[in-house]
Structures are given as structure tokens and as C-alpha cells.
């Protein structure tokens, strides 16, 4: 049975988002105070694309068009902060989450008036006229005035006005079916005046006038339109409107109100109309959009004489059959000549796929053909089947198809019937040659998953264990098969709590085993295994290789590195695995695995590859990531020493990276995979790969402010360097760990790490290593107020940098000497150091350290009372930081600007800048967070 859509209760205030009129946010029925048009415009953008990422560039284009202000990012951050505060006060039923490259409004769709309107419009399709008119009337009642009132958007928007107008047309058409022709004439005249070239409205007006015994008015309406169309547009009315005009001219009886005709007596072989649908599942949740899609397909008509074919495709266990059967039972009455069903067993481990000849025999018998009359030849059998269904309206459900060739002989003729095919493959051939429409099924939403678990476990757990049910749904990957197995285990063992099962599934090593039922042939692992066993050997090899890769996504370059295939072959293999729904292409050339399929791939690799093969595959993977990450980090920040990574494989294909922007985009896309690669290297004993890859990631973790990842990666790198007795690597990893500790205010730990790194560098007698380690050591000693020791190390490093010709190192040392001078109260001297450092960074194209120097110049200029200069330095630094995604440096500059505004009495501007800084500081656990919170607390008292 269908489950209600409101099973899960929500805490907090009731929210409603409105865009069908003035933009508004209702909290418990009362409008929230949103402020000016900027906030309303941003809210409108996020609501229109609710639960989808709206990029920062889209926001800027929509708010300011081609002329955004320099502070656009700051302004948008402020708008987002305000909306977040409003939503937080409402109790968390909706939230705005930062997700590169922008923001996403996470909200239940039914809280958005546009979604509710679309849902009712979709539900109206195919309903009797009275219900259709009522549903459409309620949907249209959600429009409250001019669309997006109060928002000022500079870019094009979804054509919601067109949606409303189409709904009005459908509602009036339903009214005409109900005999309300006289009542709608006035409304139609007004609509035709507003939309003089909309032929559907004119045809409805003419039909209403004709049925109201105003035939002359109908003809006059047509002639007026004909004159406008020919004179203003130079075209004739469309064929449907011309046909209606001719029908009115000859007083065609077909235009009168239809009278239900008695059912025709169809001549069939036997007296039984087939009704072969198996029972639908007793618990079914979610899938409203997918059901509406099938509804629309049923009522959309199609090409005259062509069969309508719907392909419901997706991975094993995603609920394709459950959806198809649920929809089929709901709509069986729409197919008065019967419903045919065949289990094609395309992916059944215990049976061969059912042949088309066998299915045709089954169907012909069900249609009343005597066994002795069924032709032996397959083509003749298919011809008889098509002949029997040519004049009928039948639903044909073909479940679990192996490929398009298995399905094609089973397609009936004529346009009255509908075929629904389910398959784990994408059925591209059926689309290309049969015009099929495909519905790619994905996992359930979080809410639908919880409803399914809740119902299947007897509802006794909902109120007490709702959070545990959510965690259980996540561990099941929101996959319906896994959810049903988990629910069956709980139902069969009342002594188990949901939390008990969550604890068992939390261990990835045993999760798939836990999702088996002992007393039935029901298994997530078994379902996935059938898909794997049907793969071509090359694809099976690729799937095993992916099992070694523990990241979240793969690309053709990664597959080429793992398998030795060329890039074209690697790309083809990924597409074929996606066609088999073992992978999902999330964007061009990037593929992900469902969490449970990922665990299955890992099991396959563990059981079918030897330990040596797995280690070799891991080595190839780390070679690839090491080569590309080294290239990328050198583009982002010029190298400070002569270290170059060593690899053991020849990698033929790597991405083309030519700029810092491209390198940062690559890091952003690959970050989860890079973290996983370091962990993999540590796990399989690739010690040198591990620390070298960690080293290549230092610049990125600093720019993006990923402090927790930073410490973890370099700790793994340190263990690898020590396990490999690599003193050079050990020194570099210790220095990186010191950087991470210093950034979060753990100065004593940072000092210890830097001292260890410096001792090793001196032992190795490597001037570059000694200079960098000494530079770090001097900086932390200055932070600890040990000024004389700090100056000794910094001046030694400065001399070494100049001796070896490292201009960027020299600039960093000058920058640190500036900090030391400023701490001693020597502000003019500090200013000179910072200025010289900035010149060297700019000449070397070092944007990261250049932005830091600008932040320091802002700081010292404030101390010197040069406020205008200070603000200029901060703005220049912000442009660099925002261009190159330097999160921490950007926070430093917002902090500086906030204090600058405070010193000049600009409290509101200071509050905005300090809040922007605090967000990043908190995420990075920066010691500066407390200071900023203190400043904001002081502002609150003003």
C-alpha cells in the first residue's frame, strides 16, 4: 500500500517558502522580516532551485548582471548569514548549506509553494474532469500576485508564468467537459486579450462560445485572430485551430458535449482479458516524481501509430520493479483490454534469461490463442501478437530485461498500448531504434527511506528511534533493497533495537554480510554480484581495479593509470559500467559508486586479486596522483626547494593543467580521492609515496583551511617516512605538522615539531631544508615572545635563502622579520620588511604569500594610523584570496577590515567583516576565533 507523505514529524516552527507572488518566508503563518530586495532576490534563487547547488557566479549574475560591485562576495555572504539566522530561529526545518561552488537550500519540497503547485498540476493529469478541475483550481490558488515580487533579478528565470497559463488552460478544458461553457467565456475573453497569439486559449473560447449557442461569436473570434496573425506575423493559424474553425462552420456534432458511449464488444480468441500483474509491494514510500512521470507518459499521447515505451532503469536493488508494479496497479483501469507481465530474468543468478519466443507464447495464451494455433516461427509469433494488440489498449510490463534485443520482439503495434520495461542496463538501443523514454531511478530520499523503515518495522520505533532510523537509512545507502532487508531483520528480532543494527552496519568490513537474509534468497551482495558476473572481461577487470581505489569517484585518467588502457578505452569502459548502473556519471568524465556498490567492488578486489596485484594497482594509482598533484601544487605556489617526487610507473595520460585556477579546480574535484590515496599508501606500505603525496597537498590544505585533514595526512606521511628510514621525508613531514599545529594555536607542539625538523635538516646538511625549517622555527619563537632566538633563526634563514637564490624563501623570511619587528613595536621597520616581501612575491607570481603580505601591510598600516592605505591593502589582498580560493588568508583579511572599521567607528561594516572571518576561524579551530568573538560581543553591547 502507499504510505502517507507526512509520516515523519518535524520539530520547530512551520515554514512556508513563497515565490508565486511576493517572495516570502512564512514562519508559523507569519511573514519573516527579510529586509531589502537583495536578500529577497537571493532567497528566490535558492527556492527556485531548492535542494540544488546555486553557484556563486549564478548568484552574482542574477543580482547584479554584468556590473557586480567589488564587494559582491562579501555582500552575498551577508545575505546568506541573515537567511541562516532566520531559518535557525525557526527550528531547523530548512537550512542553507555551503557546497562548492555555491550554496544549496535544503528544504522539504512540500514547504515550497511552487513545488506544491507543480505536484497538484501533475496529479491532475489523467483524472476525471471534476477532480482535474478541482486540483488545478487549488494549484492556481497558490499564485498570490506578480511572480517574485520584491526581488530584483537580472537574469532569466524558469518560465513559471507559462506553467500557470498551461494550468489555466487545462482547468478551463476540464470545466468545458463538465458543461460549464457559459461560465468561462468571460474569463477566456480576458485571457485572449492578454495573450492574443495563444491558439489554445482561442480554441477554448471558440468551443465555449459554440456550446453556448453563440456560433457567430466563435466565428468572429477566429476571424479576428486570423487577421492579427496574417497581418502582424505573416503566418496562418495552426492546423488544429483551422480544423476547429471548419467544424464550427459546418456545425460538426463532434463539438457538442460528449455522451459516454457504450463499450464495444471486442472479438478475442477467448473470454478472459489478461490481468497478469503480480502483487505490488505492501510498503512503498517516496517516488512521487517518478510516478508522476509515468502518469504523464500514459496521457501524453505520442506519434500516431507508434507504441509508447517507458524504460525504468537503475542499479540492482533500487526498486525498479516495485515502482513499475505500484504504478501499474494504480493505473490498471486505464488499460481496459488487460495487463500482460513477463519476468525476463535478465539478471537472475538461478536462471537463464527468458527468451522472447517463450514470452510471446505466454502472452498469446493469455490473450486466448489456443496452444495449437500459436506459430512455431518466432517472427510469425510476434506478428500474431502485434495483430491481436493493434486495436487494443493494453499495459505490457517487462521486468528485468537483459538488453534491448530481448525486448524488441515483445513490443506491440498501435498507439493505444503502453510498455514499461525495467532493467539494470540503460537500454540505449531501445531509445535509438524504438523511441523509448528512459527514467533513471536513483536511491530514495532520506525522508522516504525513514518512512519505508518505519512502516516495515511496525511503527513502534518511530517516535523513540527516529534519529537512529535516519542513521540506518544512511548506512543502507537509501537503497530500497538494503532498507527492506534491514527492516526484515528488525521485524524478525524484536529484541534488537535500531541502534543495535546501526552499530553492526557501521563496520564497512561486515556491512554487506549483515545485509543478507539467511532464510531467503535475498541479498544485497548477491544482487550486485549478478551484475558483476555478466560483465565483459575487460569491464570486470576495470571494476576490480576500482575496488582497489578507495576514493569517492573515478575518471578516465584514473582508469587508464590503473589498467594500462589508453584514455579512449578507459572512457569507453566507464561509460559501459555506467550503462550497467554499477557507476553513475555525476558530471562529464567523473563517475561515482553507490556506497554499497563501492563495498562490493572492494570485496571483489580482495577476493579475486592477489595481495601482490592489489599492491601493484595501489602503486599505479599513487604514481598517478603523485605526478598530477606535484604539477598542480607547483602551479598554485612556486616551489621552494628542488625536491621532485619519484614514481615507479610510467603514467602516459595525465590531465592538462596550465594555470593555478585549473590546478585548484582539479584539487577541489579530487580532494576526497587524494585523502583516500594517502590512506591507501599508508595501509599497503608504500611509504615513500605516502609522504611525498602528503607533501604535495600542503599548499591546498592551507588555502582551503582544511586543518583537520592537514594534521591527519602529515601524520600518515611521518609514519611512512620513518618506516622507510627516509630522514629527508621525516623532516618535511615534521615541518608540515608544525604548520598545522601553529595554525590552530598549539604553539608548544608546533615548536617541538619545528625543532625536530630543524635538527634533521642540519644533520642532512641540506641548505634549503635548513633555511625553511629555521624560518618556521623563527616564526613560532616570535609567537612565543622569544624575540632574540627568533631573530637569530630568521636572519640565518634569510642569508641561506639569498645564498641558494630562493627569492620566495627570502620574501617569507622578510615577512616573518616584519612580524617580529611589529611585535617589538618597530612598526616602520615592519612596514619596510612587508613591502620588500610583497615585491618579491609579486615578481615571482606567488599569490598565496603575496596575499599574506598584503594582510600584514594592512595590519601595520593600521598601527601607523594610515587607514586609507590599510583598507587598500586589505581590498587588494581580498581580491587575490577570493580569486585563488585562499580561505584562511581571506578570513585574516576580513578580520583586519573588521578591526579597521571598528577603529573608524563603522560598527555595522565591522560586524559584517568579523562574522565572515569568524565562520572560517571556527571551522579551522583558529586561535583568532576567540578574539573575533570578543569583538563581536562588544559590538552587541553598542
Amino acid at each position: 500500500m502507499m504510505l502517507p507523505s507526512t509520516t515523519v514529524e518535524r520539530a520547530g516552527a512551520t515554514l512556508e517558502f513563497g515565490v508565486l507572488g511576493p517572495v516570502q518566508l512564512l514562519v508559523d503563518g507569519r511573514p519573516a522580516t527579510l529586509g531589502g530586495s537583495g536578500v529577497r532576490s537571493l532567497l528566490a534563487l535558492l527556492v527556485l532551485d531548492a535542494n540544488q547547488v546555486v553557484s556563486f557566479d549564478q548568484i552574482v549574475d542574477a543580482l547584479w548582471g554584468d556590473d557586480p560591485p567589488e564587494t559582491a562576495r562579501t555582500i552575498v555572504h551577508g545575505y546568506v548569514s541573515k537567511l541562516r539566522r532566520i531559518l535557525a530561529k525557526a527550528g531547523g526545518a530548512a537550512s542553507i548549506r555551503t557546497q562548492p561552488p555555491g550554496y544549496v537550500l535544503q528544504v522539504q519540497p512540500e514547504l515550497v509553494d511552487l513545488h506544491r503547485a507543480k505536484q497538484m498540476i501533475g496529479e491532475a493529469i489523467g483524472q476525471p474532469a471534476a477532480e482535474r478541475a478541482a486540483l488545478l483550481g487549488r494549484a492556481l490558488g497558490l499564485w498570490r500576485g506578480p511572480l517574485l515580487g520584491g526581488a530584483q533579478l537580472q537574469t532569466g528565470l524558469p518560465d513559471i508564468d507559462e506553467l500557470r497559463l498551461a494550468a489555466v488552460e487545462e482547468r478551463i478544458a476540464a470545466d468545458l467537459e463538465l458543461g460549464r461553457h457559459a461560465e468561462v467565456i468571460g474569463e477566456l475573453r480576458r485571457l485572449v486579450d492578454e495573450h492574443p497569439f495563444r491558439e489554445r486559449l482561442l480554441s477554448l473560447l471558440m468551443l465555449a462560445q459554440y456550446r453556448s449557442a453563440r456560433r457567430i461569436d466563435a466565428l468572429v473570434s477566429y476571424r479576428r485572430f486570423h487577421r492579427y496573425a496574417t497581418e502582424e506575423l505573416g503566418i496562418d493559424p495552426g492546423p488544429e485551430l483551422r480544423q476547429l474553425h471548419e467544424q464550427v462552420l459546418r456545425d460538426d456534432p463532434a463539438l457538442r458535449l460528449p455522451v459516454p458511449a457504450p463499450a464495444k464488444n471486442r472479438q478475442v480468441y477467448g473470454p478472459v482479458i489478461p490481468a497478469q500483474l503480480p502483487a505490488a509491494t505492501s510498503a512503498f514510500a517516496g517516488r512521487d516524481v517518478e510516478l508522476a512521470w509515468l502518469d504523464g507518459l500514459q496521457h501524453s499521447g505520442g506519434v500516431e501509430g507508434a507504441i509508447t515505451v517507458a524504460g525504468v532503469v537503475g542499479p540492482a536493488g533500487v526498486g525498479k520493479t516495485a515502482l513499475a508494479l505500484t504504478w501499474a496497479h494504480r493505473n490498471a483501469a486505464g488499460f481496459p483490454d488487460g495487463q500482460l507481465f513477463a519476468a525476463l530474468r535478465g539478471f537472475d543468478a538461478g536462471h537463464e534469461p527468458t527468451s522472447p519466443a517463450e514470452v510471446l507464447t505466454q502472452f498469446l495464451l493469455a490473450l486466448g490463442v489456443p496452444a495449437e494455433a500459436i506459430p512455431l516461427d518466432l517472427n510469425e509469433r510476434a506478428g500474431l501478437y502485434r495483430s491481436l494488440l493493434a486495436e487494443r489498449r493494453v499495459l505490457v510490463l517487462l521486468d528485468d530485461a537483459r538488453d534491448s534485443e530481448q525486448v524488441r520482439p515483445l513490443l506491440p503495434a498501435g498507439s493505444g498500448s503502453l510498455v514499461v520495461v525495467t532493467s539494470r542496463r540503460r537500454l540505449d538501443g531501445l531509445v535509438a531504434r524504438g523511441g523509448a523514454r528512459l527514467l533513471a531511478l536513483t536511491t530514495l530520499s532520506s525522508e522516504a527511506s525513514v518512512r519505508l523503515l518505519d512502516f516495515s518495522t511496525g511503527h513502534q520505533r518511530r517516535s523513540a528511534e527516529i534519529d537512529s532510523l535516519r542513521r540506518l537509512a544512511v548506512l543502507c545507502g537509501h537503497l530500497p533493497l538494503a532498507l527492506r532487508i534491514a527492516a526484515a531483520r528488525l521485524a524478525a528480532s524484536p529484541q534488537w533495537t535500531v541502534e543495535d543494527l546501526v552499530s553492526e552496519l557501521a563496520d564497512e568490513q561486515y556491512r554487506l554480510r549483515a545485509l543478507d537474509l539467511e532464510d531467503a534468497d535475498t541479498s544485497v551482495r548477491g544482487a550486485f554480484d549478478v551484475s558483476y558476473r555478466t560483465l565483459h572481461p575487460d569491464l570486470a577487470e576495470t571494476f576490480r581495479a576500482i575496488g582497489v581505489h578507495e576514493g569517492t569517484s573515478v575518471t578516465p585518467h584514473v582508469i587508464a593509470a590503473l589498467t594500462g588502457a589508453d584514455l579512449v578505452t578507459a572512457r569507453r569502459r566507464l561509460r559501459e559500467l555506467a550503462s550497467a548502473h554499477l557507476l553513475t556519471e555525476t558530471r562529464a568524465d567523473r563517475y561515482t559508486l553507490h556506497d554499497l556498490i563501492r563495498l562490493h567492488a572492494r570485496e571483489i578486489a580482495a577476493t579475486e586479486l592477489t595481495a601482490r596485484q592489489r599492491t601493484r594497482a595501489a602503486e599505479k594509482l599513487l604514481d598517478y596522483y603523485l605526478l598530477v598533484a606535484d604539477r598542480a601544487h607547483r602551479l598554485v605556489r612556486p616551489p621552494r626547494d628542488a625536491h621532485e617526487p619519484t614514481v615507479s610507473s610510467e603514467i602516459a595520460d595525465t590531465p592538462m593543467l596550465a594555470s593555478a585556477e585549473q590546478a585548484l579546480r582539479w584539487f577541489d574535484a579530487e580532494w576526497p580521492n587524494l585523502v583516500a590515496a594517502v590512506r591507501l599508501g599508508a595501509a599497503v606500505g608504500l611509504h615513500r609515496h605516502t609522504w611525498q603525496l602528503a607533501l604535495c597537498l600542503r599548499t591546498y590544505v592551507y588555502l582551503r583551511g582544511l586543518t583537520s585533514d592537514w594534521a591527519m595526512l602529515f601524520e600518515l606521511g611521518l609514519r611512512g617516512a620513518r618506516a622507510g628510514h627516509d630522514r629527508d621525508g621525516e623532516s618535511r613531514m615534521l615541518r608540515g605538522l608544525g604548520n598545522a599545529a601553529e595554525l590552530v594555536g598549539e604553539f608548544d607542539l608546533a615548536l617541538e615539531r619545528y625543532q625536530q625538523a630543524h635538527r634533521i635538516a642540519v644533520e642532512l646538511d641540506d641548505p634549503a631544508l635548513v633555511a625553511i625549517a629555521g624560518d618556521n622555527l623563527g616564526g613560532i619563537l616570535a609567537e612565543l615572545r622569544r624575540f632574540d632566538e627568533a631573530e637569530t633563526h630568521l636572519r640565518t634563514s634569510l642569508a641561506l635563502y639569498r645564498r641558494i637564490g630562493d627569492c620566495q624563501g627570502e620574501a617569507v623570511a622578510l615577512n616573518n622579520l616584519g612580524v617580529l619587528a611589529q611585535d617589538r613595536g618597530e612598526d616602520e621597520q615592519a612596514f619596510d620588511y612587508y613591502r620588500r616581501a610583497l615585491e618579491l612575491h609579486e615578481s615571482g607570481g606567488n599569490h598565496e604569500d603575496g596575499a599574506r603580505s598584503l594582510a600584514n601591510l594592512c595590519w601595520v598600516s593600521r598601527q601607523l594610523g594610515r587607514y586609507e592605505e590599510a583598507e587598500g591593502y586589505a581590498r587588494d589582498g581580498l581580491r587575490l584570496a577570493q580569486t585563488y580560493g585562499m580561505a584562511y588568508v581571506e578570513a585574516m583579511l576580513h578580520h583586519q577590515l573588521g578591526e579597521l572599521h571598528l577603529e573608524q567607528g563603522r560598527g555595522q561594516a565591522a560586524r559584517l567583516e568579523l562574522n565572515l572571518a569568524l565562520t572560517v576561524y571556527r571551522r579551522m579551530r583558529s586561535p583568532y576565533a576567540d578574539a573575533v568573538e570578543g569583538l563581536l560581543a562588544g559590538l552587541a553591547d553598542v
Side-chain angles (χ1 to χ4, degrees):
M1 73 182 186
M2 291 292 292
L3 301 183
S5 61
T6 55
T7 302
V8 180
E9 299 172 355
R10 296 187 185 88
T14 301
L15 294 182
E16 293 181 67
F17 294 83
V19 292
L20 300 180
V23 176
Q24 64 179 17
L25 168 58
L26 299 181
V27 181
D28 286 332
R30 294 187 296 273
T33 302
L34 296 176
S37 63
V39 177
R40 292 178 185 274
S41 300
L42 176 61
L43 179 62
L45 284 172
L46 296 174
V47 171
L48 288 171
D49 282 325
N51 300 308
Q52 301 292 324
V53 176
V54 181
S55 74
F56 181 79
D57 289 341
Q58 289 175 271
I59 294 171
V60 171
D61 288 345
L63 267 56
W64 294 287
D66 295 327
D67 189 28
E70 291 185 358
T71 57
R73 184 176 293 270
T74 301
I75 294 171
V76 171
H77 286 328
Y79 292 164
V80 171
S81 296
K82 179 166 187 176
L83 290 173
R84 281 173 169 163
R85 287 195 297 272
I86 295 172
L87 295 176
K89 288 180 183 178
S95 63
I96 298 173
R97 185 163 57 86
T98 301
Q99 182 172 327
Y103 300 97
V104 57
L105 172 65
Q106 292 186 316
V107 60
Q108 296 300 327
E110 61 267 20
L111 301 182
V112 177
D113 59 0
L114 176 58
H115 171 82
R116 295 200 304 276
K118 288 181 176 180
Q119 187 175 39
M120 284 188 277
I121 292 169
E123 289 172 358
I125 298 173
Q127 299 297 326
E131 295 178 29
R132 195 161 74 249
L135 278 168
L136 291 168
R138 289 202 298 273
L140 291 166
L142 294 174
W143 267 264
R144 297 169 283 105
L147 188 67
L148 302 177
Q152 296 179 3
L153 300 177
Q154 308 297 318
T155 56
L157 294 170
D159 202 346
I160 303 172
D161 287 328
E162 173 62 27
L163 173 70
R164 179 182 179 278
L165 199 52
V168 169
E169 291 172 343
E170 292 303 322
R171 195 221 77 221
I172 293 174
D175 286 340
L176 289 176
E177 289 183 43
L178 296 169
R180 299 170 182 165
H181 30 269
E183 301 170 26
V184 299
I185 287 178
E187 179 184 8
L188 279 167
R189 278 180 172 167
R190 177 179 56 79
L191 287 167
V192 168
D193 287 341
E194 293 173 355
H195 308 279
F197 297 112
R198 198 169 179 96
E199 294 193 7
R200 178 82 193 284
L201 285 173
L202 180 64
S203 66
L204 291 170
L205 173 61
M206 291 172 61
L207 185 57
Q209 290 170 328
Y210 178 84
R211 288 182 180 172
S212 301
R214 297 164 64 175
R215 184 177 169 210
I216 298 300
D217 287 348
L219 293 172
V220 169
S221 296
Y222 176 83
R223 287 171 186 167
R224 183 182 297 117
F225 176 83
H226 183 276
R227 185 172 65 254
Y228 288 162
T230 54
E231 291 179 1
E232 304 242 358
L233 302 178
I235 60 172
D236 290 325
E240 293 180 2
L241 193 57
R242 293 201 305 271
Q243 181 182 354
L244 176 61
H245 176 238
E246 292 168 2
Q247 288 178 292
V248 173
L249 280 173
R250 64 174 185 268
D251 201 14
D252 190 340
L255 295 181
R256 297 166 193 163
L257 271 175
V259 178
K264 297 180 180 180
N265 293 322
R266 298 187 181 275
Q267 183 175 353
V268 295
Y269 276 100
V272 179
I273 293 176
Q276 295 187 327
L277 295 177
T281 179
S282 59
F284 184 85
R287 303 299 192 202
D288 294 339
V289 172
E290 292 83 354
L291 290 167
W293 183 86
L294 287 166
D295 286 340
L297 204 58
Q298 177 189 358
H299 299 291
S300 65
V303 179
E304 183 68 27
I307 185 69
T308 301
V309 181
V312 180
V313 299
V318 81
K320 302 179 292 295
T321 303
L323 171 69
L325 283 174
T326 298
W327 181 86
H329 279 285
R330 280 180 42 175
N331 293 274
F335 301 94
D337 296 315
Q339 305 90 42
L340 296 168
F341 176 87
L344 299 185
R345 294 174 171 169
F347 297 89
D348 187 331
H351 301 85
E352 288 294 318
T354 309
S355 69
E358 186 179 344
V359 176
L360 285 169
T361 299
Q362 170 193 325
F363 283 174
L364 291 172
L365 289 170
L367 291 166
V369 179
E372 62 274 12
I374 295 176
L376 295 176
D377 181 75
L378 175 62
N379 291 330
E380 292 180 9
R381 204 176 302 181
L384 176 59
Y385 165 69
R386 290 193 295 271
S387 298
L388 289 173
L389 297 188
E391 298 298 326
R392 301 187 185 189
R393 187 168 178 79
V394 173
L395 172 64
V396 181
L397 204 167
L398 305 173
D399 186 47
D400 195 24
R402 181 66 168 266
D403 52 34
S404 300
E405 294 306 313
Q406 188 185 22
V407 172
R408 194 168 288 109
L410 307 178
L411 301 180
S415 55
S417 297
L418 174 67
V419 179
V420 178
V421 187
T422 72
S423 180
R424 299 186 191 186
R425 295 198 184 278
R426 207 161 48 202
L427 303 177
D428 291 341
L430 211 57
V431 175
R433 296 178 58 186
R437 321 273 184 84
L438 291 188
L439 173 63
L441 213 56
T442 58
T443 53
L444 291 173
S445 67
S446 177
E447 183 177 347
S449 298
V450 171
R451 293 209 310 270
L452 182 59
L453 286 168
D454 188 18
F455 179 84
S456 301
T457 55
H459 288 274
Q460 74 274 17
R461 307 174 190 268
R462 177 173 63 83
S463 59
E465 297 185 281
I466 188 66
D467 290 336
S468 297
L469 284 176
R470 289 195 183 99
R471 290 196 297 274
L472 179 57
V474 170
L475 290 170
C476 290
H478 302 293
L479 188 75
L481 175 60
L483 293 167
R484 293 181 192 281
I485 291 173
R489 287 195 54 189
L490 289 172
S493 304
Q495 68 275 18
W496 273 61
T497 66
V498 178
E499 196 59 40
D500 290 334
L501 188 54
V502 167
S503 298
E504 182 179 358
L505 293 181
D507 188 340
E508 288 190 346
Q509 187 176 355
Y510 300 107
R511 189 178 304 169
L512 288 180
R513 188 182 307 171
L515 292 173
D516 289 348
L517 291 182
E518 297 175 1
D519 61 344
D521 185 19
T522 304
S523 161
V524 172
R525 180 198 280 114
F528 293 158
D529 206 50
V530 171
S531 295
Y532 168 68
R533 301 298 170 195
T534 61
L535 294 174
H536 184 278
D538 288 343
L539 298 182
E541 175 201 7
T542 302
F543 189 72
R544 288 192 297 272
I546 292 172
V548 175
H549 176 43
E550 297 190 358
T552 60
S553 64
V554 291
T555 64
H557 286 101
V558 169
I559 296 304
L562 280 168
T563 64
D566 61 72
L567 204 56
V568 173
T569 302
R571 185 173 283 115
R572 177 184 56 76
R573 290 186 184 181
L574 285 171
R575 287 174 179 166
E576 291 185 19
L577 287 171
S579 180
H581 287 99
L582 290 169
L583 301 177
T584 300
E585 188 172 15
T586 54
R587 65 175 188 263
D589 273 352
R590 186 164 295 277
Y591 296 80
T592 61
L593 290 81
H594 183 276
D595 284 348
L596 296 179
I597 296 179
R598 175 177 53 81
L599 294 180
H600 180 252
R602 195 178 296 174
E603 283 191 359
I604 292 291
T607 56
E608 298 191 11
L609 296 177
T610 66
R612 183 180 179 83
Q613 288 173 321
R614 292 195 300 274
T615 301
R616 181 60 185 137
E619 192 172 13
K620 291 178 182 178
L621 183 69
L622 266 73
D623 279 343
Y624 165 76
Y625 277 127
L626 189 52
L627 283 174
V628 185
D630 179 65
R631 169 67 176 160
H633 100 90
R634 289 172 185 274
L635 286 168
V636 175
R637 184 183 188 187
R640 296 275 304 280
D641 56 38
H643 173 77
E644 291 192 11
T646 55
V647 297
S648 51
S649 307
E650 184 175 338
I651 304 297
D653 295 301
T654 58
M656 296 294 293
L657 303 177
S659 66
E661 294 89 339
Q662 289 178 347
L664 283 170
R665 284 198 296 270
W666 182 84
F667 272 126
D668 287 339
E670 290 286 352
W671 184 246
N673 299 324
L674 289 163
V675 173
V678 173
R679 286 181 168 143
L680 177 62
V684 300
L686 295 171
H687 304 308
R688 186 166 178 80
H689 285 81
T690 302
W691 76 256
Q692 288 189 119
L693 183 54
L695 183 65
C696 292
L697 306 182
R698 182 215 168 274
T699 297
Y700 180 77
V701 292
Y702 175 75
L703 291 180
R704 293 296 191 249
L706 305 173
T707 51
S708 58
D709 283 343
W710 189 339
M712 178 272 295
L713 291 168
F714 274 72
E715 189 61 48
L716 290 174
L718 178 61
R719 293 177 197 167
R722 285 174 172 170
H725 308 290
D726 193 323
R727 297 286 278 170
D728 177 70
E730 186 177 356
S731 177
R732 296 175 191 277
M733 293 299 99
L734 285 165
R735 196 174 72 247
L737 286 167
N739 297 154
E742 182 178 357
L743 206 58
V744 297
E746 296 175 356
F747 298 139
D748 290 334
L749 176 60
L751 176 61
E752 179 185 345
R753 297 297 197 186
Y754 290 149
Q755 287 172 332
Q756 292 171 328
H758 188 260
R759 279 196 298 270
I760 296 172
V762 171
E763 289 173 16
L764 295 174
D765 194 23
D766 184 328
L769 275 183
V770 172
I772 298 172
D775 198 358
N776 291 145
L777 189 53
I780 198 64
L781 286 167
E783 192 73 47
L784 292 168
R785 317 290 293 178
R786 293 161 62 174
F787 296 143
D788 292 341
E789 295 174 77
E791 184 171 9
T792 298
H793 283 289
L794 290 174
R795 292 203 177 280
T796 300
S797 292
L798 180 63
L800 281 171
Y801 284 136
R802 286 171 172 166
R803 195 179 88 199
I804 62 178
D806 183 353
C807 293
Q808 294 308 303
E810 178 183 349
V812 171
L814 287 169
N815 200 65
N816 287 335
L817 283 166
V819 174
L820 177 62
Q822 199 168 350
D823 287 341
R824 286 172 161 172
E826 302 166 357
D827 293 338
E828 288 289 359
Q829 180 66 58
F831 183 89
D832 183 61
Y833 280 133
Y834 295 148
R835 181 186 54 75
R836 288 157 59 193
L838 178 62
E839 290 173 355
L840 287 169
H841 289 319
E842 287 179 338
S843 65
N846 186 348
H847 306 297
E848 175 198 337
D849 290 320
R852 292 174 64 191
S853 292
L854 285 164
N856 287 338
L857 280 165
C858 170
W859 178 27
V860 75
S861 296
R862 283 176 42 227
Q863 301 298 108
L864 292 166
R866 303 170 186 169
Y867 294 121
E868 188 174 344
E869 285 184 43
E871 185 165 357
Y873 289 131
R875 297 294 179 199
D876 289 344
L878 270 177
R879 274 193 291 273
L880 273 180
Q882 290 170 351
T883 299
Y884 295 100
M886 307 173 195
Y888 190 67
V889 178
E890 185 177 348
M892 291 168 53
L893 288 156
H894 283 305
H895 185 176
Q896 290 289 336
L897 276 172
E899 293 199 0
L900 177 64
H901 290 316
L902 268 180
E903 290 161 0
Q904 295 183 291
R906 300 197 292 260
Q908 186 173 355
R911 185 180 291 109
L912 175 61
E913 297 290 350
L914 292 171
N915 273 310
L916 291 172
L918 183 59
T919 301
V920 179
Y921 283 162
R922 281 175 174 166
R923 175 166 59 82
M924 297 181 65
R925 299 184 294 119
S926 169
Y928 298 119
D930 292 340
V932 172
E933 285 176 343
L935 292 172
L936 286 169
L939 278 170
D941 296 333
V942 176

